[in-house]
Amino acid sequence: MAHHFAQEIPSHLLMWQRVREYAVPPSMIETATARRAAGDWAGACAAARIDVDLDLRAVRDRHGTDIATRIRADLRGLAPDLLRWHMPRIAPDGRLRPGLTISLARYGRCGGTPPHLVVRTPPALADAGQRMSLDVWEGSANDRPANRSYLHPHPHPDRRFRLDLHRHLWDAGRSAELAQRGGAPSVVPAGRPDLHDSPWAVGSWATEAELLLRAEGRSRGAFTVRLGARSRAVLELVAPDDSHAPTFRPLREAPPPQDVAVLPVLPEAAARVLPDLELLRAGLIAVGRLHPLVAPAVGGDSPESVAGRVPEPSDPHRVECRGEIHRIALRDGVLSAVDHDPDQLRREDLLVALGGPALPCLRAIDAVHRNPEALPAVRERLRHGDVTGALAVVEGLLGPAALLRDGPLREELESAAVRRIDHGLFRAGLADVPAGPGEPRGGHASGARHTEVDHRPRPGRDTSLVARRKRGSRGRPRTGQI
């Protein structure tokens, strides 16, 4: 007898399926698109829950009109909802990867550190609402600008997560490039193995590595690809001459770790296949449920509009009560047992208050208020910061005039409200957030909590070996006793 085993869906695809369902709701896409089309880039960022921390006037004063004009042009082309769609996520919930500073564009100039247009995610302790912030990074000396009071734990642009080489993931005018740079099978060169089920876009690594090295001022050379927490591939980009397409190969001799650490890192957006393509190949999502700027590039025109995805209201609940089938539906803004007389319901409520048994209809209503079947959908929306969508689900189920009762539903809503306070404290500079290497500890920008004379900051990665030895060789203070 032949055994048939069902093919198990990878966990990362299930995560991305939930992300595509809840992280960027259709209402956000519609509002942000409308405001962007009207020229209101700041309003579009607000609709996508992105705080704007940059000051274009200050940028113009420090870097000149040309840099400020280029940044303003990029802000007008920015699709913040598309940026949120492609932001890095972490398992198992698919939340935004916390504590990141991602470069969106780099504005080169002669001499000095070039300014970067960056997007930042808050640390894990303050990620309620899944908000992001937009800023201009101008070098390590400007990691704490005066226009914001909070201190980000990692203000420097990340080397692995960067989008300055992948403008099609946030620039509405270049979103069509996704068809060639998303890791689709059409870009796999001849002679490569079939990568249909692989999450790695190996077929496009050579092309992406050429762009990476060119941005670093090199034509050929070595680069690394992060394959896991403790695994890196060290590769070399080679070509016979400029008329041939480049290819890559492993280095013949493994370089020492200190040399590997300074090599250019292939961005995560270039190393992996676009999650939307993986979901389409696995049959876990329809083209019509993709972002409107993504769907034409990966699967043709969308057959339905974003607004058409809103589910229709379901039929009234039906409950067996005293040998009959009764209905439970919304009446006057609350969930009610419509097949019972109001006077009977008042008597039954009084009986329950005195300790008597409740009607099956009333027990069903109480269960829906405390632990409804839609609780997982509410929890997912709150987890991704869609408070409006979560409340819409609750109101559609219980009615806008409903009073929440003690139970899992009320606990989820109260927990979401409390966590939003943590994010507000972080934005105000009042949260004690662990700082990155070389930064003062504490969440406040002034670092006033750790300015005591006896406080010795912990050495970071940047601390030289000589300084570390000097710190370690200091003798312990005497106690005054011989």
Side-chain angles (χ1 to χ4, degrees):
M1 181 177 178
H3 296 277
H4 300 279
F5 298 95
Q7 185 176 2
E8 185 178 358
I9 300 176
S11 59
H12 76 280
L13 288 185
L14 295 177
M15 181 200 77
W16 280 108
Q17 186 184 34
R18 295 193 303 271
V19 168
R20 293 298 180 248
E21 181 71 21
Y22 300 108
V24 189
S27 58
M28 174 188 293
I29 297 176
E30 290 179 344
T31 305
T33 301
R35 294 179 180 179
R36 175 173 55 83
D40 184 9
W41 63 266
C45 289
R49 299 198 301 273
I50 298 179
D51 301 308
V52 179
D53 292 335
L54 58 89
D55 186 352
L56 287 177
R57 292 184 179 179
V59 172
R60 182 193 60 190
D61 294 339
R62 286 192 292 267
H63 302 285
T65 305
D66 179 61
I67 296 294
T69 302
R70 292 171 60 187
I71 294 177
R72 184 180 289 108
D74 285 339
L75 292 174
R76 289 174 178 172
L78 170 67
D81 50 312
L82 181 64
L83 173 61
R84 179 175 289 274
W85 184 275
H86 291 299
M87 283 293 289
R89 306 274 172 174
I90 58 173
D93 300 328
R95 301 167 71 93
L96 294 173
R97 181 173 287 273
L100 274 185
T101 295
I102 300 178
S103 176
L104 301 182
R106 181 170 62 174
Y107 307 96
R109 62 178 183 177
C110 298
T113 302
H116 292 241
L117 177 64
V118 298
V119 61
R120 292 190 171 103
T121 60
L125 298 177
D127 67 346
Q130 293 288 274
R131 301 189 67 88
M132 301 184 293
S133 61
L134 205 63
D135 204 351
V136 174
W137 183 79
E138 304 172 59
S140 301
N142 194 250
D143 283 344
R144 292 178 291 166
N147 63 310
R148 57 179 170 88
S149 57
Y150 68 93
L151 175 64
H152 195 273
H154 302 283
H156 193 284
D158 196 277
R159 298 174 62 210
R160 175 185 169 202
F161 299 98
R162 54 185 294 187
L163 297 179
D164 57 318
L165 303 179
H166 299 80
R167 295 179 65 103
H168 56 282
L169 300 182
W170 59 267
D171 191 334
R174 299 180 60 174
S175 60
E177 297 178 11
L178 188 62
Q180 288 77 34
R181 301 187 62 187
S186 59
V187 301
V188 179
R192 293 285 185 186
D194 184 15
L195 302 174
H196 178 77
D197 297 324
S198 173
W200 301 103
V202 182
S204 58
W205 282 5
T207 304
E208 296 292 343
E210 186 178 24
L211 296 176
L212 171 66
L213 295 177
R214 190 178 301 167
E216 300 292 336
R218 312 177 188 178
S219 59
R220 299 290 183 268
F223 65 96
T224 64
V225 181
R226 187 180 185 274
L227 303 177
R230 298 180 180 272
S231 175
R232 288 187 181 183
V234 183
L235 307 172
E236 182 183 14
L237 187 70
V238 294
D241 50 58
D242 294 338
S243 62
H244 290 76
T247 184
F248 64 89
R249 66 187 180 191
L251 288 180
R252 298 178 180 177
E253 297 182 3
Q258 60 268 24
D259 292 342
V260 174
V262 299
L263 291 177
V265 181
L266 192 69
E268 191 76 2
R272 293 181 180 269
V273 177
L274 187 72
D276 297 321
L277 287 174
E278 289 192 272
L279 292 174
L280 288 172
R281 296 171 192 171
L284 297 178
I285 195 173
V287 177
R289 299 186 69 86
L290 296 176
H291 191 284
L293 294 176
V294 175
V298 300
D301 296 332
S302 175
E304 62 173 314
S305 63
V306 177
R309 303 187 217 154
V310 179
E312 297 294 332
S314 58
D315 294 333
H317 300 279
R318 301 186 184 277
V319 180
E320 184 177 354
C321 181
R322 294 180 177 179
E324 299 179 354
I325 302 298
H326 289 176
R327 298 168 298 162
I328 298 177
L330 294 177
R331 293 292 185 271
D332 299 327
V334 295
L335 196 62
S336 306
V338 298
D339 292 324
H340 289 275
D341 185 80
D343 294 334
Q344 181 187 10
L345 292 177
R346 282 192 292 269
R347 291 194 299 269
E348 293 293 336
D349 288 337
L350 179 59
L351 179 62
V352 172
L354 295 175
L359 286 173
C361 289
L362 297 182
R363 289 201 301 267
I365 292 175
D366 183 71
V368 171
H369 276 76
R370 298 180 188 275
N371 192 8
E373 293 181 0
L375 181 59
V378 174
R379 185 180 289 116
E380 286 288 344
R381 285 175 169 84
L382 292 176
R383 186 175 293 154
H384 291 287
D386 185 15
V387 178
T388 303
L391 294 178
V393 173
V394 174
E395 290 183 0
L397 182 64
L398 306 179
L403 296 178
L404 293 180
R405 307 172 188 181
D406 292 337
L409 176 60
R410 181 169 181 171
E411 291 175 0
E412 286 291 339
L413 294 175
E414 289 179 346
S415 175
V418 171
R419 285 177 54 83
R420 290 175 68 88
I421 297 177
D422 296 335
H423 179 77
L425 292 175
F426 165 71
R427 292 283 301 175
L430 301 176
D432 192 7
V433 179
E439 295 297 327
R441 298 168 60 188
H444 198 277
S446 62
R449 298 186 185 183
H450 296 276
T451 56
E452 297 86 0
V453 176
D454 296 336
H455 175 69
R456 291 170 57 189
R458 186 177 180 180
R461 279 181 166 178
D462 305 353
T463 308
S464 64
L465 182 60
V466 176
R468 287 176 179 271
R469 289 176 177 173
K470 287 183 178 180
R471 288 177 183 271
S473 62
R474 292 178 183 177
R476 298 177 59 86
R478 296 182 177 272
T479 59
Q481 296 183 6
I482 302 177

